């Protein structure tokens, strides 16, 4: 469904190009799938962001999927910009407040509860066929999701996502980090709505059929986007070594390029606060969000074709 979503959101020069999609074995998490994508974003950026990026701009996404645990990392040509997402799935309604262990939370982490049926989505993404307030699955008989469905449905699964955004550029940090968190929330909401609304398309697939669907869809998407000569130098990061544990293989991609001079942090000038006092975080170089997305599934009942 991620492949189908990527195909729908792609057009000439914009969207998601799949570079790698192959099996991967991890000593801690077992068998999984590694994917690397290039996400071309320029026309989707606000005007103030387009003013400081190249005409052809993409971010690289690398993901290790060991369902029910996944790691996703994004990097761009900016050395001081990164996104890291950890995902865990549990059979509950979003009640586990310590799912990501003993990492510090409190003030520096915002917890967002996302209702895939009743939270508003951008009007341009609305489709009646994907409105879970009215959708009913013919093959599984799941739905319609009536108000209060999270408290009444069984089975139910929650997708927990720990999202960390870093943009350590003076004068733009808070604005960029807040914008990225909002974009990620909208993407998660739309993607999980679609995964539920498209259940009749994937519920009967074997994993071999899932991989073939991914291959065919990714080929079509890459052709839809078109190819471009490389205009941004990004160093490649090898796959995590099989001798390392899963969490240690989370991407922290080293970049060989320096930030453009106009985005460099002034060396002699004191750093100014770029946010109101109520938004100041203990660690100015990191902003975390935890998204909780309940869905009408059970994580251990059947494989999840992502």
């Amino acid at each position: 469904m991620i492949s189908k979503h990527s195909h729908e959101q792609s057009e000439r020069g914009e969207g998601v190009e799949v570079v790698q999609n192959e099996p991967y074995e991890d000593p801690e998490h077992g068998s999984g799938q590694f994917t690397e994508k290039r996400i071309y974003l320029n026309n989707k950026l606000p005007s103030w962001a387009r003013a400081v990026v190249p005409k052809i701009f993409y971010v690289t996404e690398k993901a290790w999927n060991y369902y029910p645990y996944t790691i996703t990392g994004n990097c761009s040509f900016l050395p001081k910009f990164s996104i890291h997402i950890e995902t865990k799935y549990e059979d509950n309604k979003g009640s586990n407040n310590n799912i990501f262990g003993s990492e510090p939370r409190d003030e520096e982490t915002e917890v967002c509860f996302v209702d895939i049926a009743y939270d508003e989505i951008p009007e341009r993404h609305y489709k009646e066929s994907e409105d879970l307030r009215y959708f009913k699955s013919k093959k599984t008989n799941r739905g319609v999701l009536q108000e209060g469905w999270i408290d009444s449905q069984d089975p139910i699964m929650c997708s927990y996502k720990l999202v960390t955004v870093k943009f350590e550029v003076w004068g733009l940090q808070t604005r960029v980090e807040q914008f990225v968190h909002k974009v990620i929330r909208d993407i998660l909401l739309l993607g999980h709505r679609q995964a539920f609304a498209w259940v009749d398309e994937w519920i009967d697939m074997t994993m071999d059929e899932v991989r073939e669907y991914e291959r065919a869809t990714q080929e079509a998407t890459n052709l839809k986007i078109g190819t471009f000569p490389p205009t941004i130098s990004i160093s490649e990061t090898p796959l995590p070594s099989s001798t390392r544990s899963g969490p240690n293989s989370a991407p922290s991609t080293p970049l060989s390029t320096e930030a453009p001079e106009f985005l460099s942090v002034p060396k002699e000038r004191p750093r100014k606060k770029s946010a109101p006092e109520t938004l100041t975080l203990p660690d100015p170089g990191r902003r975390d969000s935890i998204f909780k997305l309940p869905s009408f599934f059970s994580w251990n009942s059947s494989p999840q074709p992502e």
Side-chain angles (χ1 to χ4, degrees):
M1 296 301 94
I2 290 175
S3 296
K4 180 177 176 179
H5 172 84
S6 298
H7 185 76
E8 284 194 351
Q9 297 299 312
S10 298
E11 55 191 2
R12 178 68 181 172
E14 296 284 329
V16 182
E17 174 192 3
V18 179
V19 180
Q20 283 182 271
N21 183 15
E22 57 191 34
Y24 180 72
E25 195 73 26
D26 184 89
E28 180 177 349
H29 301 292
S31 299
Q33 193 79 2
F34 170 78
T35 57
E36 179 179 346
K37 303 172 184 177
R38 290 177 181 173
I39 306 170
Y40 295 88
L41 291 170
N42 196 276
N43 290 338
K44 291 180 168 55
L45 299 174
S47 56
W48 55 266
R50 288 198 299 270
V52 296
V53 300
K55 184 175 181 181
I56 298 174
F57 171 70
Y58 65 82
V59 296
T60 298
E61 176 190 284
K62 297 185 179 183
W64 290 261
N65 186 346
Y66 312 107
Y67 182 79
Y69 175 64
T70 68
I71 305 167
T72 305
N74 297 78
C75 66
S76 72
F77 77 108
L78 295 173
K80 297 179 182 295
F81 175 52
S82 65
I83 303 170
H84 182 263
I85 302 174
E86 286 186 65
T87 303
K88 291 185 179 182
Y89 301 87
E90 283 193 350
D91 287 341
N92 56 50
K93 304 171 184 178
S95 55
N96 188 346
N97 293 321
N98 198 37
I99 189 169
F100 293 105
S102 58
E103 295 183 21
R105 293 288 175 263
D106 303 326
E107 296 179 10
E108 77 266 28
T109 301
E110 178 184 3
V111 179
C112 304
F113 197 90
V114 181
D115 186 331
I116 61 173
Y118 286 87
D119 283 4
E120 291 187 6
I121 63 169
E123 187 176 350
R124 65 184 182 279
H125 292 312
Y126 178 82
K127 292 183 180 179
E128 187 175 353
S129 61
E130 297 171 2
D131 192 330
L132 306 185
R133 298 171 299 176
Y134 311 111
F135 168 79
K136 188 175 183 67
S137 166
K138 295 178 180 178
K139 291 185 177 180
T140 68
N141 207 35
R142 295 172 181 172
V144 173
L145 299 186
Q146 299 177 348
E147 198 152 7
W149 67 275
I150 294 174
D151 295 321
S152 60
Q153 295 296 344
D154 184 40
I156 190 166
M157 175 185 74
C158 186
S159 170
Y160 294 83
K161 295 183 179 286
L162 174 60
V163 180
T164 302
V165 178
K166 294 182 181 179
F167 188 72
E168 297 171 331
V169 175
W170 176 80
L172 290 174
Q173 178 177 353
T174 298
R175 189 175 190 181
V176 170
E177 290 179 354
Q178 289 177 338
F179 171 76
V180 171
H181 274 290
K182 181 183 183 304
V183 169
I184 290 174
R185 184 194 181 281
D186 288 346
I187 291 173
L188 294 177
L189 175 58
L190 178 62
H192 285 73
R193 281 169 63 98
Q194 291 175 329
F196 187 98
W198 297 342
V199 60
D200 289 347
E201 298 181 33
W202 58 259
I203 193 68
D204 294 328
M205 284 185 175
T206 65
M207 288 308 299
D208 288 340
E209 291 171 334
V210 168
R211 297 305 173 208
E212 174 57 26
Y213 180 92
E214 286 180 331
R215 185 200 62 77
T217 306
Q218 290 160 7
E219 263 186 26
T221 304
N222 289 356
L223 288 173
K224 190 177 180 182
I225 295 172
T227 57
F228 301 91
T231 60
I232 306 168
S233 174
I234 305 180
S235 67
E236 294 297 328
T237 301
L239 289 178
S241 169
S242 59
T243 61
R244 296 169 60 185
S245 65
N248 290 335
S249 67
S252 56
T253 309
L255 302 179
S256 61
T257 52
E258 295 296 327
E261 186 176 347
F262 59 85
L263 286 181
S264 299
V265 180
K267 295 181 180 179
E268 304 299 330
R269 296 170 60 184
R271 185 183 180 97
K272 295 182 179 179
K273 291 182 180 179
S274 55
E277 197 66 36
T278 56
L279 292 177
T280 302
L281 303 178
D283 180 353
R286 169 177 173 150
R287 188 178 298 270
D288 289 353
S289 290
I290 293 179
F291 295 100
K292 301 181 179 182
L293 300 100
S295 190
F296 196 3
F297 302 104
S298 174
W299 78 262
N300 58 5
S301 60
S302 62
Q304 183 194 48
E306 279 197 337

Coordinates of all heavy atoms in Angstrom, one line a residue, residues 91-92 116 132 135-137 140-145 149-150 152-158 192 196 199 202-203 293-299 301:
D91 N -1.0 -4.5 20.1 CA -2.5 -4.8 20.2 C -3.1 -4.0 21.3 O -3.4 -4.6 22.4 CB -2.7 -6.3 20.3 CG -2.5 -7.0 19.0 OD1 -2.4 -6.4 17.9 OD2 -2.3 -8.2 19.0
N92 N -3.2 -2.7 21.2 CA -3.9 -1.9 22.2 C -4.4 -0.6 21.5 O -4.3 -0.4 20.3 CB -3.0 -1.6 23.4 CG -1.7 -0.9 23.0 OD1 -1.7 0.1 22.2 ND2 -0.6 -1.5 23.4
I116 N -7.6 7.8 12.6 CA -7.5 7.7 11.1 C -8.9 7.9 10.5 O -9.0 8.1 9.3 CB -7.0 6.3 10.7 CG1 -7.8 5.2 11.2 CG2 -5.5 6.2 11.1 CD1 -7.4 3.8 10.7
L132 N -13.3 6.7 6.1 CA -13.5 5.5 6.9 C -14.8 5.6 7.7 O -15.2 4.6 8.4 CB -12.3 5.2 7.8 CG -11.0 5.1 7.1 CD1 -9.9 4.8 8.1 CD2 -11.1 4.1 6.0
F135 N -16.8 3.8 4.9 CA -16.2 2.6 4.2 C -16.5 1.3 5.0 O -16.4 1.3 6.2 CB -14.7 2.8 4.0 CG -14.0 1.5 3.6 CD1 -14.0 1.1 2.3 CD2 -13.3 0.7 4.6 CE1 -13.4 -0.1 1.9 CE2 -12.7 -0.5 4.2 CZ -12.7 -0.9 2.9
K136 N -16.8 0.3 4.2 CA -17.0 -1.1 4.8 C -16.3 -2.1 3.9 O -16.6 -2.1 2.7 CB -18.5 -1.4 5.0 CG -18.7 -2.7 5.7 CD -20.2 -3.0 6.0 CE -20.4 -4.2 6.8 NZ -19.9 -4.1 8.2
S137 N -15.4 -2.9 4.5 CA -14.7 -3.9 3.7 C -15.6 -5.0 3.3 O -16.3 -5.6 4.2 CB -13.5 -4.4 4.5 OG -13.0 -5.6 4.0
T140 N -13.6 -8.5 4.6 CA -13.3 -8.7 6.0 C -14.5 -8.3 6.9 O -14.5 -8.6 8.0 CB -12.1 -8.0 6.5 OG1 -12.4 -6.5 6.4 CG2 -10.9 -8.3 5.6
N141 N -15.4 -7.5 6.3 CA -16.6 -7.0 7.0 C -16.2 -6.0 8.0 O -17.0 -5.7 9.0 CB -17.4 -8.2 7.6 CG -18.9 -7.8 7.8 OD1 -19.4 -7.1 7.0 ND2 -19.5 -8.3 8.9
R142 N -15.0 -5.4 7.9 CA -14.5 -4.4 8.9 C -15.1 -3.0 8.5 O -15.1 -2.7 7.3 CB -13.0 -4.4 9.0 CG -12.5 -5.7 9.6 CD -11.0 -5.8 9.5 NE -10.5 -7.0 10.0 CZ -9.2 -7.4 9.9 NH1 -8.3 -6.7 9.3 NH2 -8.8 -8.5 10.5
G143 N -15.4 -2.2 9.4 CA -16.0 -0.9 9.2 C -17.5 -1.1 9.3 O -18.0 -2.2 9.4
V144 N -18.3 -0.1 9.3 CA -17.9 1.3 9.2 C -17.4 1.8 10.6 O -17.8 1.3 11.6 CB -19.2 2.2 8.9 CG1 -19.0 3.6 9.0 CG2 -19.8 1.7 7.5
L145 N -16.4 2.7 10.6 CA -15.8 3.2 11.8 C -16.7 4.3 12.4 O -16.5 5.5 11.9 CB -14.4 3.6 11.6 CG -13.4 2.5 11.1 CD1 -12.0 3.0 11.1 CD2 -13.5 1.3 12.0
W149 N -15.1 4.5 17.8 CA -14.7 3.2 17.4 C -13.5 2.6 18.1 O -13.3 1.4 18.3 CB -14.5 3.2 15.9 CG -13.3 4.0 15.4 CD1 -13.2 5.3 15.2 CD2 -12.0 3.5 15.2 NE1 -12.0 5.7 14.8 CE2 -11.2 4.6 14.8 CE3 -11.4 2.2 15.3 CZ2 -9.8 4.4 14.5 CZ3 -10.0 2.1 15.0 CH2 -9.2 3.2 14.6
I150 N -12.6 3.5 18.5 CA -11.4 3.1 19.1 C -11.7 2.4 20.5 O -11.0 1.5 20.8 CB -10.4 4.3 19.4 CG1 -10.0 4.9 18.0 CG2 -9.3 4.0 20.3 CD1 -9.2 6.2 18.1
S152 N -14.5 0.7 21.1 CA -15.4 -0.4 20.9 C -14.9 -1.5 20.0 O -15.5 -2.6 20.1 CB -16.8 0.1 20.4 OG -16.6 0.8 19.1
Q153 N -14.0 -1.3 19.2 CA -13.6 -2.3 18.2 C -12.6 -3.3 18.7 O -11.8 -3.0 19.6 CB -12.9 -1.6 16.9 CG -13.9 -0.7 16.2 CD -15.1 -1.5 15.5 OE1 -15.0 -2.7 15.4 NE2 -16.1 -0.7 15.1
D154 N -12.7 -4.5 18.3 CA -11.8 -5.6 18.6 C -11.8 -6.6 17.5 O -12.9 -7.0 17.0 CB -12.3 -6.3 19.9 CG -11.4 -7.4 20.4 OD1 -10.2 -7.2 20.3 OD2 -11.9 -8.4 20.8
P155 N -10.6 -6.9 16.9 CA -9.3 -6.5 17.4 C -8.9 -5.1 17.0 O -9.6 -4.5 16.2 CB -8.4 -7.5 16.6 CG -9.1 -7.7 15.3 CD -10.6 -7.8 15.7
I156 N -7.9 -4.6 17.7 CA -7.5 -3.2 17.4 C -5.9 -3.2 17.6 O -5.4 -3.8 18.5 CB -8.2 -2.1 18.3 CG1 -7.8 -0.7 17.8 CG2 -7.8 -2.3 19.8 CD1 -8.7 0.3 18.4
M157 N -5.3 -2.5 16.7 CA -3.8 -2.4 16.8 C -3.5 -0.9 16.8 O -4.1 -0.1 16.1 CB -3.2 -3.1 15.6 CG -1.7 -2.9 15.5 SD -1.0 -3.6 13.9 CE -1.6 -2.4 12.7
C158 N -2.4 -0.5 17.5 CA -1.9 0.9 17.4 C -0.5 0.9 16.8 O 0.4 0.1 17.2 CB -1.9 1.5 18.8 SG -1.4 3.2 18.8
H192 N -2.3 5.8 6.6 CA -3.0 4.7 7.4 C -4.4 4.7 7.1 O -5.0 3.6 7.2 CB -2.7 5.0 8.9 CG -1.4 4.7 9.4 ND1 -0.2 5.4 9.1 CD2 -0.9 3.6 10.1 CE1 0.8 4.8 9.6 NE2 0.4 3.7 10.3
F196 N -6.2 1.1 5.4 CA -7.4 0.5 5.9 C -8.4 0.4 4.7 O -9.1 -0.6 4.5 CB -8.0 1.3 7.1 CG -9.2 0.7 7.7 CD1 -9.1 -0.1 8.9 CD2 -10.5 0.8 7.2 CE1 -10.2 -0.7 9.5 CE2 -11.6 0.2 7.8 CZ -11.4 -0.5 8.9
V199 N -7.9 -2.4 2.2 CA -7.7 -3.7 2.7 C -8.1 -4.8 1.8 O -7.5 -5.9 1.7 CB -8.4 -3.8 4.1 CG1 -9.9 -3.6 4.0 CG2 -8.1 -5.2 4.8
W202 N -5.4 -6.1 -0.6 CA -4.1 -6.8 -0.2 C -4.4 -7.9 0.8 O -3.5 -8.7 1.0 CB -3.2 -5.8 0.5 CG -3.6 -5.0 1.7 CD1 -4.1 -3.7 1.7 CD2 -3.7 -5.4 3.0 NE1 -4.4 -3.3 2.9 CE2 -4.2 -4.3 3.8 CE3 -3.4 -6.6 3.7 CZ2 -4.4 -4.4 5.2 CZ3 -3.6 -6.7 5.1 CH2 -4.1 -5.6 5.8
I203 N -5.6 -8.0 1.4 CA -5.8 -9.0 2.4 C -5.6 -10.4 2.0 O -5.1 -11.3 2.8 CB -7.2 -8.8 3.0 CG1 -7.4 -9.6 4.4 CG2 -8.3 -9.3 2.0 CD1 -6.6 -9.0 5.5
L293 N -1.4 5.8 16.2 CA -2.4 5.6 15.2 C -3.1 4.2 15.4 O -2.7 3.2 14.8 CB -1.8 5.7 13.8 CG -1.1 7.0 13.4 CD1 0.4 6.8 13.6 CD2 -1.4 7.4 12.0
P294 N -4.2 4.2 16.1 CA -5.0 3.0 16.3 C -5.6 2.6 14.9 O -6.0 3.4 14.1 CB -6.1 3.3 17.3 CG -5.6 4.5 18.0 CD -4.8 5.3 17.0
S295 N -5.7 1.3 14.7 CA -6.3 0.8 13.4 C -7.0 -0.6 13.7 O -6.6 -1.2 14.7 CB -5.2 0.6 12.3 OG -5.8 0.3 11.1
F296 N -7.9 -1.0 12.9 CA -8.7 -2.1 13.1 C -8.0 -3.4 12.7 O -8.5 -4.1 11.8 CB -10.0 -1.9 12.3 CG -11.2 -2.8 12.8 CD1 -11.0 -3.7 13.8 CD2 -12.4 -2.8 12.1 CE1 -12.1 -4.5 14.2 CE2 -13.4 -3.6 12.5 CZ -13.3 -4.4 13.5
F297 N -6.8 -3.7 13.2 CA -6.1 -4.9 12.9 C -5.4 -5.4 14.2 O -5.4 -4.7 15.2 CB -5.0 -4.6 11.9 CG -5.5 -4.0 10.6 CD1 -5.3 -2.6 10.3 CD2 -6.1 -4.8 9.7 CE1 -5.8 -2.1 9.1 CE2 -6.6 -4.3 8.5 CZ -6.4 -2.9 8.2
S298 N -4.9 -6.6 14.1 CA -4.1 -7.1 15.2 C -2.7 -7.4 14.6 O -2.6 -8.1 13.6 CB -4.7 -8.4 15.7 OG -3.9 -9.1 16.6
W299 N -1.6 -6.9 15.2 CA -0.3 -7.0 14.6 C 0.2 -8.4 14.4 O 0.9 -8.7 13.5 CB 0.7 -6.2 15.4 CG 1.2 -6.8 16.6 CD1 0.8 -6.5 17.9 CD2 2.3 -7.7 16.8 NE1 1.5 -7.2 18.8 CE2 2.5 -8.0 18.1 CE3 3.1 -8.4 15.9 CZ2 3.4 -8.9 18.6 CZ3 4.1 -9.3 16.3 CH2 4.2 -9.5 17.7
S301 N -1.7 -11.1 14.0 CA -2.7 -12.1 13.3 C -2.3 -12.4 11.9 O -2.7 -13.5 11.4 CB -4.1 -11.4 13.4 OG -4.1 -10.2 12.6

